[in-house]
């Protein structure tokens, strides 16, 4: 059915503060008809979706990044601002802006509404969380609010799907008249802005709808924005001097005037009971951020998270691993022997299996990250940890991404999106893979078993702990270094809302888990897959079927590479066989174990014990043992620091929008690993070790 | 009366007051104001983080956490009953 109505597709932008329930509304409106991508050139996530109106016409929805303001201080604000003005290519300018506000915290949320109104855009105010307001025994005079704001107001509860139809009806009706600005600056400042507006419009072709907010931004910001025309610098300085002479604080006057207007709007509109009962959120905070109980709760929650990852995730990981092994065996049995069979079983199936096996861990981690985020606890974790994190110049919010990286760096890297400052986000992202992830565990287990075959488990655990500690120190040290060199800057401001605790909705958590996992499979999967096939080819060709597997491997391209790189890795105590292991584990660190199985011509599924024995018998051509204690230690230290993970590189590529940073990371981490392993091996020799 | 104006960072738990001025011209200052810390706004210290910093303050009906060093730039007129 093609009707006239379907031809014009409305574009609606959803704007709002963080924690306003904007994403909940977006999900409720679009259901699953949504897409996630990046805005061109920046690392701000772009979410778009569609929904239908009752009259059958389609609406495109843009979910803008959550911002408190449009003063363009962060990339998020810049994108929100530019989308609203239709300045981003491939993103149409919105016909209507729905500004989602939290009914319980109207005073601060209306600040953004007023800024959007200044851009002369039609705004519908979605008065969200009405259910919470009612629970608190408060009411809002909706009509009066709409009248005073000059924009339609729709009361709703996005979480309970209440008010959605009314919002759609309001969108259908549209907002024909955009009200003139209702808040007023002090008179002399109005005059200053007017004169700037005039200059912007006549000399710089700035549109009418934008000239006020631009003039205001230029007049009130100390550091001139990039867009500021140079010839305005002088008049701005003059205006400021005049205002100062009249006792007007040009930096704060506009913000104060806006808030004063908001207070006037709210007078007599909100009716609260005379006795306010203490809110459960505040009571909970008294415990969760308590000097003692706060730590207990925090450590308890983190322990639970890791316990779940290492116990619960292990079960489906075994299934997936077993399933792919079974599939590979079946294919092996039913396909005619040849290169194609080898490619399918050892390259393709093993490659896909290598990607999928990480999925349970990633899903569980995202479940926890999402739970922490949606419940409001994430802000408390940052609140508790900020003091520690700020010592290395990082934001409290960097803690959870770094902690998650102990399980897997991928969710950790993806979780850095919550850090607003781009510099701090980059530093967190660059050091996250140094945290000892679970893929290193099989490598450490094997090497510790080789190094200390007959020692009690406690000693082994101690050595393992030492490796974790080394990785953490490495991450903190590198963060400290990056903050002083590449990403030099002041310690980021910690001005963070502590949102009220809320019960997260199962739907939104599931949706988030699905979305993140899908992005991981799509972005990392293809690269890991390609890499697995390339590695398979390197280890298979040129073919030497008449030789034994280990000799054939030495003849292969990978073997030749290993032999070629032996001079470079000999100072670390490694021979060409370990070199192949290092190359093979570029896809994922635990592949080292299975590669070594092939190198020592064992069955691919041989257990640690067998491989350990093979290790203890391996020697250099002159008969010296290969896996000396120092070689094992040096190899472990290498794995602590080395970036042996194509998935992480692929995810960092997605998160930073360029190959520059993943390549930089590969180089710096490999160098760090090489130097550290060299120090261990050569230093150990100097101290008389072997 | 001047002695009842103190920096926000010197206030104690559950002490309230009214913001008098923000004495910083950095971007932090701009951000603090946009989050609602403007002259004339009532403000209460709720608690300090377990390690003493940052601070949890209540204003305009919500909770905001800021660091000690930023709080030092916010001058607050302490409510009179607090002094009495």
């Amino acid at each position: 059915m093609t009707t006239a109505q379907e031809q014009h597709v409305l574009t609606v932008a959803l704007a709002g503060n963080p924690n306003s329930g904007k994403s909940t509304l977006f999900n409720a409106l679009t259901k699953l008809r949504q897409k996630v991508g990046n805005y061109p050139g920046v690392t701000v996530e772009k979410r778009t979706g569609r929904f239908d109106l009752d009259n059958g016409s389609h609406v495109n929805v843009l979910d803008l990044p959550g911002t408190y303001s449009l003063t363009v201080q962060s990339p998020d604000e810049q994108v929100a601002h530019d989308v609203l003005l239709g300045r981003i290519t491939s993103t149409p300018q919105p016909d209507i802006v729905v500004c989602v506000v939290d009914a319980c915290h109207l005073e601060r949320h209306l600040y953004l509404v007023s800024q959007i109104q200044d851009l002369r855009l039609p705004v519908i105010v979605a008065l969200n969380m009405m259910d919470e307001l009612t629970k608190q025994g408060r009411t809002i005079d909706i009509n009066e609010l709409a009248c005073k704001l000059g924009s339609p107001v729709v009361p709703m509860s996005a979480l309970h799907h209440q008010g959605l139809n009314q919002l759609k009806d309001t969108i259908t009706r549209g907002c024909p008249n955009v009200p003139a600005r209702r808040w007023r600056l002090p008179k002399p400042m109005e005059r200053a802005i007017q004169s700037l507006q005039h200059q912007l419009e006549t000399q710089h072709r700035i549109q009418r709808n934008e000239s006020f907010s631009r003039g205001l931004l230029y007049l009130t910001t100390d550091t001139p924005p990039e867009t500021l025309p140079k010839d305005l610098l002088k008049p701005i300085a003059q205006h400021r001097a005049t205002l100062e002479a009249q006792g007007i604080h040009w930096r704060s006057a506009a913000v104060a005037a806006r808030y004063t207007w908001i207070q006037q709007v709210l007078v007599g509109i909100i009716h609260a009971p005379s006795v306010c009962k203490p809110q459960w959120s505040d009571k909970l905070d008294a415990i969760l951020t308590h000097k003692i109980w706060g730590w207990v709760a925090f450590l308890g929650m983190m322990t639970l998270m890791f316990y779940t990852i290492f116990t619960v995730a292990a079960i489906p990981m075994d299934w997936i691993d077993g399933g792919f092994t079974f599939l590979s065996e079946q294919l092996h049995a039913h396909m005619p022997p040849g290169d194609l069979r080898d490619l399918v079983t050892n390259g393709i199936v093993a490659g896909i299996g290598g990607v999928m096996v990480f999925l349970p861990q990633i899903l569980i981690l995202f479940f926890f990250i999402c739970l922490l985020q949606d419940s409001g606890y994430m802000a408390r974790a940052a609140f508790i940890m900020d003091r520690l994190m700020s010592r290395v110049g990082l934001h409290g919010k960097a803690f959870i991404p770094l902690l998650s990286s102990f399980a897997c760096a991928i969710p950790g890297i993806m979780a850095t999106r919550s850090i607003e400052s781009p510099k701090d986000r980059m530093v967190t992202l660059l050091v996250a893979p140094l945290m000892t992830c679970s893929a290193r565990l099989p490598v450490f287990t094997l090497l510790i078993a080789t190094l200390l075959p007959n020692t009690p488990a406690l000693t082994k655990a101690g050595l393992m702990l030492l490796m974790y500690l080394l990785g953490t120190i490495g991450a903190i040290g590198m963060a400290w270094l990056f903050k002083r060199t590449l990403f030099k800057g002041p310690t980021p401001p910690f001005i963070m809302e502590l949102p009220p605790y809320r019960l997260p909705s199962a739907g939104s958590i599931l949706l988030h888990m699905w979305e993140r996992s899908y992005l991981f499979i799509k972005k990392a999967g293809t690269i890991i897959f390609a890499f697995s096939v390339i590695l398979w080819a390197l280890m298979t060709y040129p073919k030497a079927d008449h030789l034994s597997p280990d000799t054939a491997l030495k003849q292969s391209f990978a073997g030749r590479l290993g032999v070629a790189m032996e001079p470079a890795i000999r100072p670390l105590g490694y021979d060409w066989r370990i070199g192949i292991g290092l190359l093979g584990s570029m896809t994922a660190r635990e592949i080292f174990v299975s590669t070594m199985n092939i190198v020592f011509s064992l069955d691919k599924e041989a257990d640690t014990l067998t491989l350990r024995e093979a290790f203890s018998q391996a020697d250099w051509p002159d008969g010296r043992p290969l896996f000396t204690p120092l070689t094992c230690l040096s190899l472990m230290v290498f794995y602590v620091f080395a970036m042996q993970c194509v998935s992480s590189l692929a995810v960092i590529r997605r998160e930073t929008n360029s190959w520059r940073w993943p390549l930089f990371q590969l180089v710096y981490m490999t160098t760090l690993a090489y130097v550290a392993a060299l120090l261990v091996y050569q230093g150990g020799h100097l101290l008389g070790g072997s | 009366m001047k002695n009842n104006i103190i920096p926000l960072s010197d206030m104690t738990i559950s002490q309230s007051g009214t913001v008098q001025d923000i004495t910083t011209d950095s971007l932090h200052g701009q951000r603090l104001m946009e989050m609602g810390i403007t002259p004339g706004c009532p403000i209460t210290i709720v608690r300090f983080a377990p390690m003493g910093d940052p601070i949890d303050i209540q204003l305009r009906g919500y909770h905001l956490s800021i660091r000690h060093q930023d709080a030092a730039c916010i001058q607050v007129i302490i409510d009179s009953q607090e002094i009495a």
Side-chain angles (χ1 to χ4, degrees), chain A residues 652-666:
Chain A
I652 291 160
R653 150 81 187 83
R654 178 181 184 266
E655 295 295 311
T656 59
N657 253 341
S658 100
W659 275 111
R660 205 174 65 184
W661 291 114
L663 284 177
F664 167 74
Q665 198 161 19
L666 181 67

Side-chain angles (χ1 to χ4, degrees), chain B residues 39-56:
Chain B
C41 173
I43 204 165
T44 306
I45 302 273
V46 181
R47 65 174 60 84
F48 297 94
M51 292 170 99
D53 193 25
I55 314 168
D56 173 356

Side-chain angles (χ1 to χ4, degrees), chain A residues 318-335 340-354 356 529 604-605:
Chain A
D318 277 350
W319 291 345
I320 294 173
D321 201 29
F324 276 97
T325 310
F326 177 77
L327 184 66
S328 169
E329 283 165 4
Q330 289 300 310
L331 287 167
H332 193 86
H334 291 98
M335 282 177 73
L340 185 65
R341 187 180 75 175
D342 274 6
L343 172 66
V344 171
T345 55
N346 294 333
I348 297 175
V349 175
I352 299 175
M356 299 305 281
F529 177 70
K604 215 182 161 194
E605 296 302 310

